[in-house]
Each structure stands twice: as structure tokens, then as C-alpha cells.
Amino acid sequence: MKNRPLISSSNDEDNDKWCNLPRELLELIFSHLSYGDQAIFHTVCKRWQTIKIPPPRHPIPLPSFEDMDPSSPWLISFPVINANGKCIFFNPINNQTYETCIPELSHSKILFAKYGWLLMIPDYNKIPFLFELVTRKKILLPEIDVGWAWHAMSFTCSPNSSDCLVTALSIFSGICCVFVHKLGDGDLGGWNEYSIILPDSFDLSDLITGYVPAFYKGKYYCLDRNGNLYIFDPRDVIASTLYRLNPDDGIPILDICPKGGSSAHQIFMVENEGDLLAIFITKCGRIVHVYRWDESAFRFCLVENLGNNNMLFISNGAVFSKKAVARATGNRIYFPCFFDRKGPYASYSLATKSYHSFYGGYSQMNSYGLRELRTAFWFSIDQCQ
């Protein structure tokens, strides 16, 4: 019996035609694929494996927000000294970079971002304001009469709602001053101020830059490096509660910081699919640990996997979760980090417990050599709806 080829010669000819497409055309096709689809692209043949698109070196002008991909969050960064409102928009999924100037944001710093709104503080008068990025609507907030700087500011829902509460925390010498302003009350409402005595062990030192308490089920959750969990309702601050989590009952800070180990350098809290997660990052090597808050047991439980459909976006002033928008982009945490000075973007995979680049093939278990953008925050266009 004569052996027959598994693939007919006509199919071989078709495959040759696809493999021998002009390189410029292949690069154009490749540039429009997501990271997961690019991995499949590279399995077609040896020639297609050689197709690479280097990271863009120079951003191009920002198109209208209607023309931008709403499914993927954008990393927005400012210069340290922002004299003219210059902004860089970066999409980690498709590696696009845009540049624009928003004069209303010049000489200001970001404190919080969500629902398409930014909470900013000017360098010159320290009076905070709200700014809707798409419509450029601006809402001035009353001045806060406080003798020292606040450690965190945020809002509970879209500022387009009259029920929106803007809150500010200022912690000094064991006293937490909580300021609450209801947008629906206008300027005449001013700020309601409350003072809560905290234990001496409550420690947010080195964590306060961009620190954002999580607003979860109508209450704020504020976790420090020593295992103190401060919970308060912005509508009834006096009835706040403070828990000292038991070190022997799975408190994550002590679990990841044994004697002589590395301390928790950054702490973020974010809601994901109805659960409250705490993300701890060590100062040495930026090792990442994720825990889930068990409200019934008053403890944090280790999280090994976010699921293939979940992504966490973590930055100073802006934290949120989203469903994966493309193949191989889930079960990852997206920090504002890049390999080297002008290298590719790096995300953290919970599956491999390592930092990886979507473009360029970089991979490592710690963050040595990574460049973190401290003046950058995540922004999702679909939250503007």
C-alpha cells in the first residue's frame, strides 16, 4: 500500500504563500494583534517567529477619547514638574503610546482617580479639585483647614452623583482626622471633621505616598504594616472600628516579613468580584503577595490565583480590577513598571510569580532593573460611562 502525504501538495503551496508574505505586511498584521494572539502568530512557521515589533520610542499625538480602545486601561503619567499639563497615555496590551497636553492639570498632582474623574491638588494653593478627563469638567472643593498634610483622599462614587462623598485622612501623633464633604451640599456644606484616636502601633510611614483606603460595601478599609485594620463609614465616622489582627492567625504582614526579612514597602487594597484583596509588595525585590479579606473570620487568606479572566491594575492613587481583554492577559497584576530606562512594559504573573514583558521576551522573578513611574496612574475609559 502506497503511503500518502498527510498534507496535500496544494495545501503545501497555500502554506508557502502565507509564510512568504512580505515582511512589511506581516509586521503590520502583527502590530494589530494582542499579546496572546501574537503568541499564536509565532507558532505558524519559523519565518513568522522572526516578526517583532519594537516598543515605540516616541509617543504620537493623542486621538479623541472616542477613538481610543475602551476595553483596556491606560497608564497616564506626568512629568515630576508638570508645567504645561503634559500627559503620556500608554496601553500595555497593544503597546500604544500617545501624548497630549491638558492645561487644567498643569502644576498639579494626582491624589485619586476613578469613574473617569481625577482628584487633583495644585502645587500653588493646596486646594483640591475634581476633574473629569473626557469632558474636562472641573469641580472646586472647599479648602481643608488642617495644620498638617493629609495622607489620603478619595471619593465614594462618580462625582456626577449628588450622593458622592469626598473623604480625606490625616494621621498625626496617633490621631486620625477624617474630613468628609458631600458634593450635593455645594460649597456651603464645607467639610465635616472627625478625630479618631489610633494606637501608637498604627503605622502608615513610607506608605502614605499615593496610599488609597479601599471603599468596600459602603465602608473604608485602611490597613497598615503592623496589622491594624481601621474601618469607618464616611456617613458615620464616630462609629468606626479598629481591629488588631492576630499575628498567629494568618496576618499577612508578619507572614511575608519574618525576622530579618523584607518589610512591606507598599500596601494596596482593591475589590475584585465581590472580595476585598490586599496586595503587599516588599521593599527588597518587590516581591508580591496577595490576600483576601475573610470578613466572618476577621483574617486575611492567601490568594494563589486570580483566575484567567481577572486583571488587577495597581498604582498610586488608582486601583481597580477588570476582566481580561485579550488572551494571556489575565491572572496578572499591572503596576506602572518598565524594564530598564526605555525598555518594554512589565506585568506581574501570579501563575509564575515573576515579572514578564508582553513584548521583547523579558522575564525575571524580582523587580531588580525595573523602573517604576511614581507619577503615573491607571485610567479606564469604560468607567466614564
Side-chain angles (χ1 to χ4, degrees):
M1 181 176 179
K2 187 177 180 180
N3 292 330
R4 295 182 179 179
L6 294 177
I7 302 177
S8 65
S9 58
S10 60
N11 285 341
D12 287 340
E13 293 176 1
D14 290 340
N15 290 337
D16 288 341
K17 290 178 181 178
W18 280 105
C19 291
N20 292 320
L21 287 173
R23 187 175 186 86
E24 294 77 9
L25 179 58
L26 291 174
E27 290 179 348
L28 179 62
I29 296 172
F30 187 80
S31 67
H32 286 81
L33 299 179
S34 67
Y35 167 69
D37 290 332
Q38 287 181 354
I40 296 175
F41 180 97
H42 281 149
T43 65
V44 172
C45 64
K46 289 185 177 180
R47 184 167 182 269
W48 284 28
Q49 291 177 10
T50 65
I51 303 301
K52 307 283 185 183
I53 300 297
R57 294 295 180 180
H58 301 288
I60 60 178
L62 180 74
S64 65
F65 285 102
E66 290 78 8
D67 296 330
M68 296 175 65
D69 181 7
S71 62
S72 174
W74 293 76
L75 183 65
I76 305 178
S77 59
F78 301 121
V80 176
I81 301 177
N82 192 9
N84 59 2
K86 179 181 177 181
C87 304
I88 301 294
F89 287 68
F90 172 74
N91 187 323
I93 305 302
N94 58 24
N95 213 36
Q96 291 178 333
T97 303
Y98 298 121
E99 178 180 295
T100 190
C101 283
I102 305 177
E104 295 92 336
L105 303 182
S106 62
H107 300 287
S108 299
K109 292 181 175 62
I110 179 73
L111 298 175
F112 183 71
K114 202 169 185 180
Y115 309 111
W117 286 80
L118 313 181
L119 179 52
M120 308 290 295
I121 181 73
D123 297 331
Y124 45 86
N125 61 16
K126 303 301 180 183
I127 299 176
F129 66 90
L130 293 161
F131 184 78
E132 192 173 24
L133 195 57
V134 174
T135 65
R136 300 203 175 186
K137 179 182 177 182
K138 186 175 182 179
I139 301 176
L140 291 175
L141 298 174
E143 185 175 1
I144 299 181
D145 183 17
V146 60
W148 52 87
W150 46 82
H151 290 155
M153 292 189 74
S154 63
F155 42 84
T156 57
C157 61
S158 171
N160 287 319
S161 170
S162 59
D163 294 328
C164 179
L165 299 177
V166 183
T167 62
L169 299 183
S170 183
I171 301 174
F172 184 76
S173 297
I175 298 177
C176 177
C177 291
V178 181
F179 300 85
V180 181
H181 172 68
K182 190 173 186 293
L183 285 184
D185 294 340
D187 292 338
L188 298 178
W191 296 90
N192 294 320
E193 181 181 350
Y194 309 89
S195 296
I196 307 297
I197 298 178
L198 299 175
D200 294 337
S201 61
F202 197 88
D203 183 14
L204 287 179
S205 61
D206 298 329
L207 299 176
I208 60 176
T209 302
Y211 184 84
V212 180
F215 189 64
Y216 176 67
K217 295 183 177 180
K219 296 182 180 181
Y220 277 105
Y221 287 69
C222 185
L223 179 65
D224 79 342
R225 65 169 73 248
N226 292 325
N228 295 297
L229 182 62
Y230 175 45
I231 305 174
F232 70 93
D233 186 333
R235 295 161 297 186
D236 188 10
V237 178
I238 299 302
S240 61
T241 53
L242 181 70
Y243 299 100
R244 177 69 176 98
L245 304 181
N246 187 346
D248 298 324
D249 195 28
I251 172 62
I253 300 95
L254 300 182
D255 283 349
I256 68 173
C257 306
K259 220 172 204 183
S262 179
S263 62
H265 177 56
Q266 291 176 298
I267 299 176
F268 298 95
M269 302 186 77
V270 59
E271 183 176 353
N272 178 59
E273 292 195 331
D275 291 327
L276 181 61
L277 302 182
I279 296 93
F280 297 85
I281 308 166
T282 64
K283 187 173 184 178
C284 181
R286 287 186 61 88
I287 307 302
V288 179
H289 303 262
V290 181
Y291 292 81
R292 178 182 59 83
W293 171 241
D294 186 340
E295 194 170 8
S296 61
F298 293 102
R299 61 172 294 178
F300 283 93
C301 306
L302 184 65
V303 173
E304 299 281 2
N305 196 312
L306 296 175
N308 292 331
N309 292 325
N310 294 314
M311 307 183 294
L312 299 183
F313 291 85
I314 307 297
S315 61
N316 292 332
V319 294
F320 53 86
S321 65
K322 278 185 69 70
K323 291 295 184 181
V325 297
R327 229 186 310 256
T329 60
N331 200 27
R332 290 175 180 262
I333 302 178
Y334 295 79
F335 298 107
C337 294
F338 293 80
F339 285 99
D340 303 321
R341 181 171 178 79
K342 292 186 178 181
Y345 174 77
S347 62
Y348 182 84
S349 169
L350 267 72
T352 63
K353 293 181 172 54
S354 299
Y355 291 88
H356 303 278
S357 69
F358 288 153
Y359 305 89
Y362 287 76
S363 180
Q364 60 189 46
M365 295 193 67
N366 54 50
S367 66
Y368 295 122
L370 288 187
R371 175 176 58 99
E372 181 181 4
L373 300 183
R374 294 299 183 93
T375 58
F377 65 96
W378 290 108
F379 178 83
S380 183
I381 295 176
D382 61 5
Q383 289 183 348
C384 303
Q385 308 299 324

